[in-house]
Protein backbone atom coordinates (compact mmCIF):
# COMPACT_ATOMS: atom_id res chain seq x y z
CA UNK A 1 0.00 0.00 0.00
CA UNK A 2 1.60 3.26 -1.06
CA UNK A 3 0.97 6.76 0.22
CA UNK A 4 1.44 10.13 -1.44
CA UNK A 5 2.40 12.97 0.88
CA UNK A 6 2.11 16.49 -0.48
CA UNK A 7 3.21 19.73 1.16
CA UNK A 8 0.30 22.15 1.61
CA UNK A 9 0.31 25.93 1.57
CA UNK A 10 -0.51 26.27 5.27
CA UNK A 11 2.57 24.36 6.43
CA UNK A 12 5.21 26.11 8.56
CA UNK A 13 7.73 28.25 6.64
CA UNK A 14 10.09 26.36 4.36
CA UNK A 15 13.10 27.38 6.42
CA UNK A 16 11.59 25.77 9.50
CA UNK A 17 10.76 22.58 7.65
CA UNK A 18 14.22 22.34 6.14
CA UNK A 19 15.69 22.33 9.64
CA UNK A 20 13.73 19.19 10.53
CA UNK A 21 14.73 15.60 9.83
CA UNK A 22 12.72 13.84 7.11
CA UNK A 23 10.67 11.88 9.63
CA UNK A 24 9.84 15.04 11.56
CA UNK A 25 8.83 16.78 8.32
CA UNK A 26 6.48 13.93 7.50
CA UNK A 27 5.09 13.88 11.02
CA UNK A 28 4.53 17.64 10.88
CA UNK A 29 2.64 17.39 7.61
CA UNK A 30 0.44 14.52 8.73
CA UNK A 31 -0.39 15.77 12.21
CA UNK A 32 -0.82 19.47 11.56
CA UNK A 33 -2.42 19.66 8.14
CA UNK A 34 -6.00 18.48 7.85
CA UNK A 35 -5.67 18.23 4.07
CA UNK A 36 -2.58 16.04 4.07
CA UNK A 37 -2.47 12.33 3.39
CA UNK A 38 -3.96 10.12 6.11
CA UNK A 39 -1.46 7.34 6.65
CA UNK A 40 -3.20 5.12 9.16
CA UNK A 41 -4.18 1.99 7.31
CA UNK A 42 -7.49 0.55 8.43
CA UNK A 43 -8.57 3.67 10.29
CA UNK A 44 -11.89 3.29 12.05
CA UNK A 45 -13.02 6.72 10.88
CA UNK A 46 -13.57 8.13 7.40
CA UNK A 47 -10.95 10.62 6.29
CA UNK A 48 -13.55 13.38 5.94
CA UNK A 49 -14.71 13.07 9.56
CA UNK A 50 -13.21 15.98 11.52
CA UNK A 51 -11.38 15.57 14.81
CA UNK A 52 -13.19 16.38 18.02
CA UNK A 53 -16.88 16.03 18.76
CA UNK A 54 -18.81 16.10 15.50
CA UNK A 55 -22.07 18.11 15.19
CA UNK A 56 -22.98 16.23 12.01
CA UNK A 57 -22.76 12.88 13.78
CA UNK A 58 -25.02 14.14 16.54
CA UNK A 59 -27.73 14.85 13.95
CA UNK A 60 -27.69 11.19 12.92
CA UNK A 61 -27.61 9.72 16.41
CA UNK A 62 -30.36 7.10 16.88
CA UNK A 63 -33.14 8.30 19.24
CA UNK A 64 -32.62 5.41 21.66
CA UNK A 65 -28.90 6.22 21.92
CA UNK A 66 -29.60 9.91 22.46
CA UNK A 67 -32.06 9.08 25.24
CA UNK A 68 -29.52 6.81 26.95
CA UNK A 69 -26.78 9.46 26.81
CA UNK A 70 -29.05 12.24 28.02
CA UNK A 71 -30.19 10.12 30.98
CA UNK A 72 -26.52 9.42 31.81
CA UNK A 73 -25.56 13.08 31.60
CA UNK A 74 -23.13 12.65 28.70
CA UNK A 75 -22.07 16.04 27.35
CA UNK A 76 -23.16 16.14 23.71
CA UNK A 77 -23.03 19.94 23.40
CA UNK A 78 -20.12 19.84 20.95
CA UNK A 79 -21.38 16.87 18.93
CA UNK A 80 -20.89 13.11 18.66
CA UNK A 81 -18.80 10.99 18.53
CA UNK A 82 -15.50 12.34 19.79
CA UNK A 83 -12.91 11.61 17.11
CA UNK A 84 -9.27 11.61 18.33
CA UNK A 85 -7.23 14.64 17.35
CA UNK A 86 -5.02 13.72 14.41
CA UNK A 87 -2.10 15.53 16.02
CA UNK A 88 -2.21 13.08 18.95
CA UNK A 89 -2.26 9.87 16.90
CA UNK A 90 1.15 8.16 16.56
CA UNK A 91 2.54 8.40 13.04
CA UNK A 92 5.51 6.06 13.31
CA UNK A 93 5.57 2.38 14.11
CA UNK A 94 8.18 2.58 16.86
CA UNK A 95 6.09 5.17 18.70
CA UNK A 96 2.89 3.13 18.41
CA UNK A 97 4.72 -0.04 19.52
CA UNK A 98 5.69 1.58 22.81
CA UNK A 99 2.08 2.15 23.86
CA UNK A 100 1.48 -0.21 26.82
CA UNK A 101 4.74 -2.00 25.95
CA UNK A 102 5.48 -3.25 29.44
CA UNK A 103 3.89 -5.55 31.96
CA UNK A 104 1.36 -4.14 34.38
CA UNK A 105 -0.39 -5.90 37.28
CA UNK A 106 -3.42 -7.94 36.30
CA UNK A 107 -5.91 -9.59 38.66
CA UNK A 108 -7.85 -12.51 37.20
CA UNK A 109 -11.17 -11.83 38.92
CA UNK A 110 -12.57 -15.22 37.90
CA UNK A 111 -10.09 -16.94 40.26
CA UNK A 112 -11.91 -15.35 43.21
CA UNK A 113 -15.29 -16.72 42.12
CA UNK A 114 -17.41 -19.44 43.64
CA UNK A 115 -17.18 -22.28 41.07
CA UNK A 116 -20.94 -22.82 41.42
CA UNK A 117 -21.62 -19.09 40.91
CA UNK A 118 -24.46 -19.13 43.41
CA UNK A 119 -24.55 -15.35 43.94
CA UNK A 120 -24.91 -14.64 40.23
CA UNK A 121 -26.98 -17.54 38.96
CA UNK A 122 -29.10 -17.70 42.09
CA UNK A 123 -30.21 -14.10 41.59
CA UNK A 124 -31.16 -14.60 37.93
CA UNK A 125 -34.72 -15.34 36.84
CA UNK A 126 -33.46 -17.70 34.18
CA UNK A 127 -30.15 -19.04 32.83
CA UNK A 128 -30.30 -20.11 29.18
CA UNK A 129 -27.44 -22.01 27.55
CA UNK A 130 -27.82 -21.17 23.85
CA UNK A 131 -25.62 -24.00 22.55
CA UNK A 132 -23.70 -26.88 24.10
CA UNK A 133 -20.27 -25.33 23.65
CA UNK A 134 -20.73 -21.56 23.71
CA UNK A 135 -23.12 -18.82 24.73
CA UNK A 136 -25.29 -18.25 27.81
CA UNK A 137 -28.06 -15.72 28.38
CA UNK A 138 -28.79 -14.41 31.88
CA UNK A 139 -32.34 -13.16 32.43
CA UNK A 140 -33.52 -10.81 35.16
CA UNK A 141 -30.30 -9.13 36.27
CA UNK A 142 -29.04 -5.59 35.71
CA UNK A 143 -25.30 -5.34 35.09
CA UNK A 144 -25.28 -1.94 36.77
CA UNK A 145 -26.40 -3.52 40.06
CA UNK A 146 -23.96 -6.43 40.34
CA UNK A 147 -21.98 -6.89 43.54
CA UNK A 148 -18.25 -7.57 43.39
CA UNK A 149 -18.93 -11.23 44.15
CA UNK A 150 -21.33 -11.41 41.23
CA UNK A 151 -18.82 -9.65 38.96
CA UNK A 152 -16.20 -12.27 39.86
CA UNK A 153 -18.66 -15.07 39.14
CA UNK A 154 -19.65 -13.43 35.85
CA UNK A 155 -15.97 -13.31 34.86
CA UNK A 156 -15.75 -17.06 35.50
CA UNK A 157 -18.97 -17.72 33.58
CA UNK A 158 -17.62 -15.73 30.61
CA UNK A 159 -14.36 -17.68 30.80
CA UNK A 160 -16.25 -20.99 30.73
CA UNK A 161 -19.05 -20.17 28.28
CA UNK A 162 -16.97 -17.78 26.11
CA UNK A 163 -19.78 -15.20 25.69
CA UNK A 164 -22.63 -14.20 28.03
CA UNK A 165 -25.65 -12.06 27.14
CA UNK A 166 -27.94 -9.71 29.10
CA UNK A 167 -31.04 -8.22 27.47
CA UNK A 168 -33.20 -5.34 28.72
CA UNK A 169 -30.31 -3.44 30.29
CA UNK A 170 -30.55 0.09 31.68
CA UNK A 171 -26.82 0.76 31.51
CA UNK A 172 -25.02 4.09 31.31
CA UNK A 173 -21.68 4.30 29.48
CA UNK A 174 -20.13 5.47 32.76
CA UNK A 175 -21.23 2.27 34.51
CA UNK A 176 -20.02 0.22 31.56
CA UNK A 177 -16.60 1.83 31.93
CA UNK A 178 -16.61 1.16 35.68
CA UNK A 179 -17.28 -2.53 35.04
CA UNK A 180 -14.42 -2.62 32.55
CA UNK A 181 -11.99 -1.18 35.08
CA UNK A 182 -13.03 -3.87 37.57
CA UNK A 183 -11.99 -6.65 35.17
CA UNK A 184 -8.69 -5.13 34.04
CA UNK A 185 -6.91 -2.15 32.53
CA UNK A 186 -9.30 -0.52 30.08
CA UNK A 187 -7.87 -0.10 26.60
CA UNK A 188 -7.94 3.46 25.26
CA UNK A 189 -7.42 3.34 21.50
CA UNK A 190 -5.41 6.09 19.84
CA UNK A 191 -7.55 6.18 16.71
CA UNK A 192 -11.14 5.07 17.17
CA UNK A 193 -14.12 7.36 17.96
CA UNK A 194 -15.31 7.42 21.55
CA UNK A 195 -18.09 8.79 23.75
CA UNK A 196 -17.26 12.43 24.62
CA UNK A 197 -15.54 12.71 27.99
CA UNK A 198 -15.25 8.93 28.42
CA UNK A 199 -11.90 7.66 27.16
CA UNK A 200 -12.11 3.90 26.93
CA UNK A 201 -15.75 3.83 25.81
CA UNK A 202 -15.42 3.11 22.10
CA UNK A 203 -18.21 3.87 19.65
CA UNK A 204 -19.41 0.96 17.49
CA UNK A 205 -21.38 2.67 14.73
CA UNK A 206 -20.32 1.39 11.35
CA UNK A 207 -23.12 3.10 9.48
CA UNK A 208 -21.55 6.41 10.53
CA UNK A 209 -17.85 5.62 10.29
CA UNK A 210 -17.80 3.45 7.15
CA UNK A 211 -18.87 4.35 3.61
CA UNK A 212 -17.40 1.54 1.48
CA UNK A 213 -19.33 -1.34 3.06
CA UNK A 214 -21.76 -3.05 0.68
CA UNK A 215 -23.84 -6.21 0.43
CA UNK A 216 -21.32 -7.61 -2.05
CA UNK A 217 -18.07 -6.87 -0.23
CA UNK A 218 -18.83 -7.00 3.50
CA UNK A 219 -17.55 -10.57 3.96
CA UNK A 220 -14.56 -10.48 1.60
CA UNK A 221 -12.12 -10.60 4.53
CA UNK A 222 -13.39 -14.04 5.49
CA UNK A 223 -12.09 -15.48 2.21
CA UNK A 224 -8.60 -14.01 2.54
CA UNK A 225 -7.12 -11.56 5.06
CA UNK A 226 -5.79 -9.37 2.25
CA UNK A 227 -9.39 -8.35 1.57
CA UNK A 228 -9.99 -7.36 5.20
CA UNK A 229 -10.46 -3.79 6.32
CA UNK A 230 -14.11 -3.22 5.48
CA UNK A 231 -15.33 -3.62 9.03
CA UNK A 232 -15.91 -6.15 11.79
CA UNK A 233 -17.64 -8.60 9.47
CA UNK A 234 -14.32 -10.41 9.31
CA UNK A 235 -13.77 -13.09 11.97
CA UNK A 236 -11.35 -11.69 14.52
CA UNK A 237 -10.36 -11.34 18.17
CA UNK A 238 -9.75 -7.90 19.66
CA UNK A 239 -6.33 -6.35 20.24
CA UNK A 240 -4.15 -9.42 19.78
CA UNK A 241 -1.15 -7.17 19.02
CA UNK A 242 -1.06 -5.83 22.58
CA UNK A 243 1.71 -6.79 25.00
CA UNK A 244 -1.18 -7.96 27.21
CA UNK A 245 -4.08 -8.58 24.82
CA UNK A 246 -7.77 -8.21 25.49
CA UNK A 247 -9.61 -10.24 28.11
CA UNK A 248 -13.28 -9.36 28.54
CA UNK A 249 -14.90 -7.14 25.95
CA UNK A 250 -18.29 -5.67 26.84
CA UNK A 251 -20.42 -4.40 23.95
CA UNK A 252 -23.70 -2.72 24.82
CA UNK A 253 -25.98 -2.09 21.85
CA UNK A 254 -28.51 0.68 22.44
CA UNK A 255 -29.84 0.91 18.87
CA UNK A 256 -30.77 -2.43 17.32
CA UNK A 257 -32.37 -3.21 13.94
CA UNK A 258 -35.83 -4.77 14.01
CA UNK A 259 -34.44 -7.64 11.95
CA UNK A 260 -30.77 -8.60 11.62
CA UNK A 261 -27.59 -6.97 12.86
CA UNK A 262 -26.63 -10.17 14.69
CA UNK A 263 -23.15 -11.15 15.89
CA UNK A 264 -21.55 -14.59 15.83
CA UNK A 265 -18.89 -16.04 18.14
CA UNK A 266 -16.80 -19.21 17.95
CA UNK A 267 -15.08 -21.07 20.78
CA UNK A 268 -11.30 -21.40 20.85
CA UNK A 269 -11.65 -24.19 23.41
CA UNK A 270 -13.86 -26.28 21.13
CA UNK A 271 -11.72 -25.43 18.10
CA UNK A 272 -8.68 -26.91 19.86
CA UNK A 273 -10.68 -30.05 20.65
CA UNK A 274 -11.55 -30.35 16.94
CA UNK A 275 -7.88 -30.85 16.07
CA UNK A 276 -6.28 -34.29 15.79
CA UNK A 277 -3.99 -35.30 18.67
CA UNK A 278 -1.03 -35.14 16.28
CA UNK A 279 -1.82 -31.55 15.24
CA UNK A 280 -2.48 -30.57 18.85
CA UNK A 281 0.92 -31.94 19.83
CA UNK A 282 2.57 -30.08 16.95
CA UNK A 283 0.96 -26.75 17.89
CA UNK A 284 1.40 -26.97 21.67
CA UNK A 285 4.18 -24.56 22.59
CA UNK A 286 4.36 -22.93 19.15
CA UNK A 287 4.17 -19.14 18.80
CA UNK A 288 2.66 -16.94 16.11
CA UNK A 289 3.04 -13.35 14.99
CA UNK A 290 -0.03 -11.18 15.66
CA UNK A 291 -0.56 -7.79 14.05
CA UNK A 292 -2.54 -4.64 14.78
CA UNK A 293 -5.58 -3.60 12.78
CA UNK A 294 -4.07 -0.19 12.10
CA UNK A 295 -0.87 0.69 10.27
CA UNK A 296 1.91 3.17 10.97
CA UNK A 297 4.95 4.44 9.07
CA UNK A 298 8.41 2.93 9.35
CA UNK A 299 10.61 5.77 10.54
CA UNK A 300 13.58 4.41 8.56
CA UNK A 301 11.54 3.85 5.39
CA UNK A 302 8.53 6.17 5.60
CA UNK A 303 7.61 5.98 1.91
CA UNK A 304 7.16 2.20 1.94
CA UNK A 305 3.60 2.50 3.26
CA UNK A 306 1.97 1.64 6.59
CA UNK A 307 3.33 -1.20 8.70
CA UNK A 308 1.52 -3.09 11.47
CA UNK A 309 2.54 -3.52 15.10
CA UNK A 310 3.68 -7.14 15.61
CA UNK A 311 3.84 -9.31 18.77
CA UNK A 312 4.69 -12.95 19.48
CA UNK A 313 2.18 -14.96 21.49
CA UNK A 314 1.45 -18.69 22.00
CA UNK A 315 -0.74 -20.14 19.26
CA UNK A 316 -2.29 -22.46 21.87
CA UNK A 317 -3.14 -20.47 24.96
CA UNK A 318 -4.01 -21.61 28.49
CA UNK A 319 -6.79 -19.67 30.20
CA UNK A 320 -5.68 -18.77 33.76
CA UNK A 321 -9.13 -19.29 35.29
CA UNK A 322 -10.37 -22.46 33.57
CA UNK A 323 -6.96 -24.00 32.91
CA UNK A 324 -8.21 -25.09 29.48
CA UNK A 325 -6.28 -24.90 26.23
CA UNK A 326 -7.68 -22.71 23.46
CA UNK A 327 -6.76 -22.10 19.83
CA UNK A 328 -5.63 -18.46 19.79
CA UNK A 329 -5.60 -17.41 16.14
CA UNK A 330 -7.81 -15.27 13.91
CA UNK A 331 -7.81 -14.67 10.16
CA UNK A 332 -7.69 -10.90 10.40
CA UNK A 333 -4.64 -10.49 12.63
CA UNK A 334 -2.56 -13.68 12.81
CA UNK A 335 0.31 -13.28 10.35
CA UNK A 336 2.52 -16.37 10.61
CA UNK A 337 3.65 -19.27 12.77
CA UNK A 338 7.14 -18.76 14.19
CA UNK A 339 9.70 -21.29 12.93
CA UNK A 340 7.82 -22.38 9.80
CA UNK A 341 8.50 -21.45 6.22
CA UNK A 342 5.90 -19.01 4.81
CA UNK A 343 4.07 -21.59 2.63
CA UNK A 344 3.92 -24.05 5.55
CA UNK A 345 2.62 -21.37 7.89
CA UNK A 346 -0.02 -20.23 5.40
CA UNK A 347 -1.38 -23.74 4.86
CA UNK A 348 -1.65 -24.50 8.58
CA UNK A 349 -3.06 -21.12 9.56
CA UNK A 350 -5.72 -21.23 6.86
CA UNK A 351 -6.81 -24.63 8.16
CA UNK A 352 -6.96 -23.33 11.73
CA UNK A 353 -8.95 -20.28 10.64
CA UNK A 354 -11.41 -22.57 8.90
CA UNK A 355 -11.81 -24.68 12.03
CA UNK A 356 -12.98 -21.59 13.93
CA UNK A 357 -15.09 -20.18 11.11
CA UNK A 358 -16.73 -23.22 9.49
CA UNK A 359 -17.69 -25.49 12.40
CA UNK A 360 -21.17 -24.29 13.29
CA UNK A 361 -21.35 -26.65 16.27
CA UNK A 362 -18.76 -24.52 18.09
CA UNK A 363 -20.46 -21.21 17.28
CA UNK A 364 -23.36 -19.14 18.54
CA UNK A 365 -25.27 -16.48 16.59
CA UNK A 366 -27.04 -13.89 18.72
CA UNK A 367 -29.81 -11.43 17.90
CA UNK A 368 -29.54 -8.32 20.08
CA UNK A 369 -33.21 -7.35 20.23
CA UNK A 370 -34.46 -6.43 23.71
CA UNK A 371 -37.95 -7.28 24.87
CA UNK A 372 -38.46 -3.84 26.46
CA UNK A 373 -38.58 -0.76 24.22
CA UNK A 374 -35.85 1.73 25.05
CA UNK A 375 -33.59 -0.80 26.76
CA UNK A 376 -30.33 -2.14 25.38
CA UNK A 377 -28.58 -5.49 25.25
CA UNK A 378 -25.07 -6.37 26.46
CA UNK A 379 -22.69 -9.11 25.39
CA UNK A 380 -19.53 -9.91 27.36
CA UNK A 381 -17.00 -12.23 25.77
CA UNK A 382 -13.49 -13.46 26.47
CA UNK A 383 -11.16 -12.59 23.60
CA UNK A 384 -8.58 -15.07 24.89
CA UNK A 385 -10.78 -18.00 23.87
CA UNK A 386 -12.96 -16.72 21.03
CA UNK A 387 -13.38 -15.19 17.59
CA UNK A 388 -16.36 -13.03 16.64
CA UNK A 389 -17.89 -11.46 13.55
CA UNK A 390 -20.64 -8.92 12.97
CA UNK A 391 -23.38 -9.93 10.54
CA UNK A 392 -24.17 -6.87 8.43
CA UNK A 393 -27.42 -8.11 6.92
CA UNK A 394 -29.37 -4.97 7.87
CA UNK A 395 -27.10 -3.13 5.37
CA UNK A 396 -27.27 0.12 7.32
CA UNK A 397 -30.96 0.61 6.56
CA UNK A 398 -31.85 0.60 10.27
CA UNK A 399 -29.79 2.13 13.11
CA UNK A 400 -27.24 -0.08 14.84
CA UNK A 401 -25.17 1.63 17.51
CA UNK A 402 -23.26 0.46 20.55
CA UNK A 403 -20.55 1.31 23.04
CA UNK A 404 -17.67 -1.02 23.78
CA UNK A 405 -15.28 -1.31 26.71
CA UNK A 406 -12.36 -3.77 26.56
CA UNK A 407 -10.40 -4.89 29.62
CA UNK A 408 -6.85 -6.05 28.91
CA UNK A 409 -5.72 -9.29 30.56
CA UNK A 410 -2.52 -11.22 31.28
CA UNK A 411 0.53 -11.84 29.11
CA UNK A 412 -0.54 -14.90 27.06
CA UNK A 413 1.01 -18.16 28.17
CA UNK A 414 0.90 -21.88 27.42
CA UNK A 415 1.01 -24.36 30.28
CA UNK A 416 2.07 -27.79 28.97
CA UNK A 417 0.25 -29.39 31.91
CA UNK A 418 -3.07 -27.78 31.01
CA UNK A 419 -5.91 -29.82 29.50
CA UNK A 420 -8.37 -29.26 26.72
CA UNK A 421 -11.96 -28.48 27.61
CA UNK A 422 -13.18 -31.97 26.74
CA UNK A 423 -10.39 -33.58 28.76
CA UNK A 424 -11.12 -31.39 31.76
CA UNK A 425 -14.88 -31.96 31.66
CA UNK A 426 -14.63 -35.65 30.92
Amino acid sequence: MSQTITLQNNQPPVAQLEALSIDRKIENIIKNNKDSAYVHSGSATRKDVPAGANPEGLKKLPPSTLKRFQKAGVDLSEGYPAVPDKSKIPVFLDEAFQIRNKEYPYIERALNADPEKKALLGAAKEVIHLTKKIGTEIVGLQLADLTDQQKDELALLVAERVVVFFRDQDLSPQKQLELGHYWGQVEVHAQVPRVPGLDGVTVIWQDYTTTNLTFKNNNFGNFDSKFAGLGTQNWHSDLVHEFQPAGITHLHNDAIPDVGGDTAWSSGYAAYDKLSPALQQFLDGKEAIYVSAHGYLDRDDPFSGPKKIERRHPIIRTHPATGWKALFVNRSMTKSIVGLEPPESEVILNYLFNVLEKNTDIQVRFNWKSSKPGYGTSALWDNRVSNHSTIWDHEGLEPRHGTRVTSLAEIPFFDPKSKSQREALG
Side-chain angles (χ1 to χ4, degrees):
M1 178 177 178
S2 62
Q3 294 288 339
T4 301
I5 298 177
T6 307
L7 286 172
Q8 304 292 332
N9 293 331
N10 59 343
Q11 287 297 304
V14 174
Q16 295 181 31
L17 283 176
E18 289 298 330
L20 299 175
S21 61
I22 184 64
D23 58 336
R24 290 303 179 192
K25 291 178 184 178
I26 294 170
E27 185 174 36
N28 185 282
I29 293 168
I30 292 170
K31 286 192 172 185
N32 298 316
N33 192 318
K34 294 180 180 179
D35 299 323
S36 67
Y38 194 84
V39 303
H40 302 289
S41 171
S43 172
T45 307
R46 299 195 314 263
K47 297 175 186 178
D48 61 341
V49 175
N54 186 7
E56 293 303 313
L58 182 59
K59 296 176 184 178
K60 301 176 182 179
L61 199 62
S64 57
T65 306
L66 179 60
K67 183 178 179 180
R68 177 189 175 213
F69 286 168
Q70 288 175 334
K71 181 179 180 180
V74 175
D75 183 5
L76 300 175
S77 60
E78 300 296 324
Y80 182 87
V83 177
D85 188 339
K86 193 175 181 181
S87 66
K88 298 179 181 179
I89 298 174
V91 170
F92 293 104
L93 182 65
D94 56 353
E95 182 183 2
F97 185 84
Q98 291 303 321
I99 298 175
R100 294 182 292 272
N101 187 38
K102 59 182 179 180
E103 186 174 3
Y104 57 85
Y106 170 70
I107 299 173
E108 179 54 66
R109 297 292 185 179
L111 290 173
N112 298 327
D114 169 14
E116 297 182 7
K117 311 171 198 68
K118 292 187 289 291
L120 179 73
L121 302 183
K125 290 182 179 180
E126 192 175 4
V127 178
I128 306 169
H129 295 310
L130 302 180
T131 77
K132 290 288 187 181
K133 302 294 189 300
I134 177 174
T136 294
E137 182 176 348
I138 302 294
V139 180
L141 288 179
Q142 289 293 319
L143 286 165
D145 298 332
L146 296 183
T147 66
D148 286 354
Q149 184 178 356
Q150 289 172 322
K151 294 173 194 174
D152 292 344
E153 293 177 5
L154 177 54
L156 180 57
L157 183 64
V158 172
E160 293 173 347
R161 295 294 297 167
V162 182
V163 57
V164 178
F165 307 101
F166 294 80
R167 299 185 198 270
D168 303 331
Q169 295 295 299
D170 182 8
L171 184 70
S172 71
Q174 294 94 328
K175 192 65 179 183
Q176 186 181 4
L177 184 60
E178 180 185 319
L179 287 167
H181 282 300
Y182 183 82
W183 288 311
Q185 178 183 348
V186 170
E187 182 260 357
V188 179
H189 202 288
Q191 295 196 38
V192 298
R194 60 201 59 167
V195 175
L198 293 174
D199 290 349
V201 184
T202 299
V203 172
I204 304 298
W205 193 15
Q206 285 186 304
D207 305 324
Y208 167 77
T209 59
T210 308
T211 57
N212 57 354
L213 206 57
T214 70
F215 170 75
K216 289 185 180 295
N217 71 18
N218 73 83
N219 272 297
F220 280 0
N222 292 318
F223 293 92
D224 193 304
S225 58
K226 67 174 174 283
F227 300 124
L230 292 171
T232 55
Q233 290 66 43
N234 309 315
W235 283 97
H236 66 286
S237 184
D238 296 338
L239 304 170
V240 293
H241 71 282
E242 292 273 351
F243 188 82
Q244 293 178 230
I248 294 176
T249 287
H250 177 186
L251 174 59
H252 178 84
N253 276 347
D254 50 35
I256 303 164
D258 285 332
V259 178
D262 300 359
T263 304
W265 286 263
S266 60
S267 169
Y269 295 136
Y272 180 81
D273 273 318
K274 285 279 187 181
L275 306 179
S276 67
L279 186 52
Q280 289 176 342
Q281 184 177 9
F282 173 78
L283 294 173
D284 284 356
K286 290 283 192 301
E287 292 183 316
I289 302 298
Y290 300 82
V291 301
S292 59
H294 301 80
Y296 305 86
L297 295 185
D298 182 346
R299 193 180 298 274
D300 297 325
D301 191 8
F303 297 104
S304 62
K307 303 293 189 297
K308 303 294 185 74
I309 298 171
E310 296 186 356
R311 305 274 185 187
R312 287 175 60 156
H313 297 308
I315 200 169
I316 304 301
R317 185 173 181 175
T318 302
H319 194 290
T322 64
W324 302 337
K325 297 177 184 178
L327 179 61
F328 185 61
V329 299
N330 73 90
R331 188 181 296 275
S332 296
M333 299 169 211
T334 308
K335 179 180 178 181
S336 60
I337 300 174
V338 176
L340 300 188
E341 295 296 337
E344 297 169 338
S345 175
E346 183 175 2
V347 168
I348 295 174
L349 281 178
N350 278 325
Y351 175 73
L352 298 178
F353 300 151
N354 286 333
V355 171
L356 285 158
E357 297 169 6
K358 295 184 177 181
N359 283 293
T360 55
D361 59 334
I362 66 171
Q363 297 174 1
V364 63
R365 174 170 172 161
F366 182 73
N367 181 269
W368 295 84
K369 198 71 176 175
S370 280
S371 62
K372 296 180 180 179
Y375 286 76
T377 296
S378 284
L380 299 98
W381 67 92
D382 198 321
N383 288 278
R384 295 170 286 188
V385 295
S386 67
N387 276 204
H388 61 280
S389 173
T390 300
I391 299 166
W392 198 71
D393 54 347
H394 69 295
E395 299 185 45
L397 300 177
E398 296 179 79
R400 188 183 191 277
H401 176 282
T403 55
R404 183 185 66 194
V405 174
T406 296
S407 306
L408 303 178
E410 81 283 355
I411 298 173
F413 70 95
F414 170 72
D415 180 356
K417 297 180 180 179
S418 57
K419 297 181 179 181
S420 77
Q421 184 182 43
R422 292 177 74 88
E423 286 178 315
L425 298 180

